[in-house]
Amino acid sequence: MPVKQQIARQLQQAERPVLICHVSPDGDALGTMLGLALALRRMGKHPDTTCQDPVPTTFHYLPGADKVLSKPTGEYDLVVSLDCSDVRRMGTPYQSLSPRSKNVLLINIDHHVTNLNFGDLNWVDPTAVATAEMMLELMETMDVPLDIDIATCLLTGIVCDTRGFRTANTLPKVTAAATRLMEAGANLADITSRVFSERPLAAVRLWTQALQETHMEGRILWGVVTQEMRMQSGYNANADAGLVGFLSDVNEADIAVTFTEKDSGEIYVSMRANRGLDVSRVALSLGGGGHPQAAGCTLQITLQEAVDTVLPALQATWREQTGQ
Ligand code: AMP
Ligand code: MN
Ligand code: MN
């Protein structure tokens, strides 16, 4: 039986599954998890939704966003990992499962090419633009009727991971999936506006500081976001406020990368590739993962050491891939 059908059967048999999406959640992680939770509740199940880190305010509009737990509660009969390429991406919710719940079936649903197939049932489809696109397929397999709330969750995932239908993998099957979600009531204009057009002033202040010092080395454009910059600007998320996307739009850059100093002192490295180049291999080799065009990793070293480690690796992969 194809793995998608096996997963459908397991979900139908479960009573109390726990859903886990990745740390520092994005719209695909949250949208997929909350959409599945709604479908399971509708099927008479009692799922918990969990994530190590809080739901960013951008995504508070998602139905069920207020029900995301930072820790599992009690015992479960199924564990479902969503949009995670390895066990570590599930973070503390997985680690703090009771020994009994850790022993139940683990389902891994994901679209990262770097996925390590860590589940008991692994449905990994790198041709899917978002895990939410796979979830729509799964719901259609299970004959779950879509409603506006489920559709809003899943369309958010697709919109986020395609950067608003702008990535090269936005094929007709993707716009067709989006059409089905809109027909179920999801409001594309509203989702797009919430996800891309709302930016706190603190983010602009952070960019102002970080942009003072960006460096172009060969065809690689890079910048840093220090703890001090985040504090001074009032930007308190452990992230670069989307700066890496802005840098990757620069004509001269084939690769863009930001190094963000997190509150913990770890360095979050966010990479983007243009012109069909692939940065996921470098991310994977450094213990992270991602997609060819967008990948990342977290390093337990200083900012300077991170720069000294990542840039030569990116230069090498650039030379290898471009033959220059
Ligand atoms: P970001 O730069 O945060 O937008 O992430 C780009 C892509 O890399 C996303 O698909 C992430 O899920 C993935 N990614 C980032 N960090 C990691 C990591 N430590 N392990 C696996 N995948 C990661
Ligand atoms: Mn994600
Ligand atoms: Mn995703």
Side-chain angles (χ1 to χ4, degrees), residues 42-244:
R42 162 122 355 142
M43 291 156 66
K45 322 285 180 193
H46 304 280
D48 268 353
T49 51
T50 65
C51 184
Q52 171 181 305
D53 299 307
V55 176
T57 45
T58 306
F59 299 114
H60 281 184
Y61 73 91
L62 290 174
D66 54 336
K67 296 192 191 76
V68 178
L69 310 170
S70 59
K71 280 212 181 83
T73 55
E75 298 297 339
Y76 302 95
D77 54 4
L78 185 66
V79 181
V80 186
S81 166
L82 299 160
D83 204 37
C84 299
S85 52
D86 59 52
V87 171
R88 269 193 322 164
R89 289 288 280 171
M90 289 191 279
T92 48
Y94 183 73
Q95 290 158 17
S96 47
L97 283 175
S98 74
R100 203 163 95 210
S101 295
K102 247 191 197 159
N103 266 328
V104 304
L105 196 83
L106 171 60
I107 292 178
N108 163 20
I109 305 178
D110 185 36
H111 68 128
H112 290 91
V113 66
T114 54
N115 192 289
L116 299 182
N117 292 304
F118 54 88
D120 299 309
L121 286 177
N122 298 289
W123 182 28
V124 177
D125 180 3
T127 72
V129 293
T131 308
E133 185 193 354
M134 301 170 69
M135 190 50 66
L136 174 62
E137 232 184 282
L138 185 62
M139 287 186 191
E140 289 171 344
T141 302
M142 295 193 299
D143 281 326
V144 175
L146 296 178
D147 63 17
I148 179 170
D149 285 348
I150 295 178
T152 300
C153 289
L154 299 188
L155 189 55
T156 294
I158 292 177
V159 165
C160 285
D161 271 21
T162 60
R163 295 169 57 215
F165 303 106
R166 291 185 301 156
T167 53
N169 55 6
T170 307
L171 299 174
K173 68 167 174 108
V174 180
T175 49
T179 299
R180 299 203 291 285
L181 294 168
M182 288 174 76
E183 281 165 354
N187 186 328
L188 177 60
D190 187 48
I191 292 171
T192 307
S193 157
R194 283 179 187 279
V195 171
F196 296 112
S197 308
E198 291 177 20
R199 178 169 283 143
L201 182 61
V204 177
R205 299 251 190 272
L206 183 71
W207 282 34
T208 307
Q209 292 200 46
L211 286 171
Q212 312 266 331
E213 244 200 272
T214 52
H215 310 266
M216 191 78 195
E217 286 180 31
R219 302 280 298 178
I220 300 179
L221 182 59
W222 63 277
V224 300
V225 172
T226 61
Q227 276 182 13
E228 196 183 350
M229 288 178 194
R230 290 196 294 111
M231 210 168 63
Q232 280 177 2
S233 60
Y235 190 81
N236 40 31
N238 272 310
D240 71 356
L243 180 66
V244 73

